[in-house]
Amino acid sequence: MTFIRTRTPRETMLAGIAAAARQPLVERPRAVAAAIAAFAADPALLEGMDCPCCPDRYIRHLLQSDEEAGYAVVALVWRPGQMSPVHGHKTWCAFAVHQGTLTETYYAPPEAEGDLPQPLSTQLLNPGQGSHGPADPGLIHRLANLSCRTAISIHCYGVGFDRFGQDVNEVHAA
């Protein structure tokens, strides 16, 4: 008897992200976002994986890092009330909500030195919904868990995991 092992939703999503990350740079964020969104709402996506939260801030859990292809995929766990700083990205990025609800707020860039970015619009993101963008620190946003339950989102950035600290976000305001 031959057994054929089927891929888990996470393995299938990561394979789709790997294929999308080989697209031309101008198409890559949208292609990666589609690969994430196709599986983000699947309850089995993180099955068997421990993704604890942190009481002080959202926390990243590495799902895959491909230094050669130049990207990394992480699951972010957000407790109620936790949010990112207001930031733009130095690299392309894509994400979708896996569990819970996140609020994404977009901001206008500061008009003058010392000014803060000003909110433009806000959208609620439910499981399977997300966003993407090119490397552009002027595209400013903030993600927040304004709900009363823990949220989890899946993110892919166009740098290896070891470079997240210096090469992903350009923080505009806390």
Side-chain angles (χ1 to χ4, degrees), residues 26-98:
V26 68
E27 299 168 21
R28 196 172 304 156
R30 182 182 311 278
V32 170
I36 295 170
F39 293 92
D42 188 327
L45 182 64
L46 298 177
E47 198 169 84
M49 197 176 162
D50 187 27
C51 290
C53 56
C54 175
D56 304 325
R57 59 179 172 74
Y58 69 88
I59 188 166
R60 296 178 180 125
H61 299 282
L62 180 63
L63 301 179
Q64 178 174 318
S65 186
D66 188 328
E67 305 301 322
E68 187 176 311
Y71 72 91
V73 183
V74 291
L76 273 63
V77 181
W78 311 78
R79 289 182 53 152
Q82 292 180 335
M83 61 186 69
S84 71
V86 176
H87 66 281
H89 291 278
K90 300 177 191 178
T91 181
W92 63 266
C93 61
F95 78 92
V97 175
H98 168 59

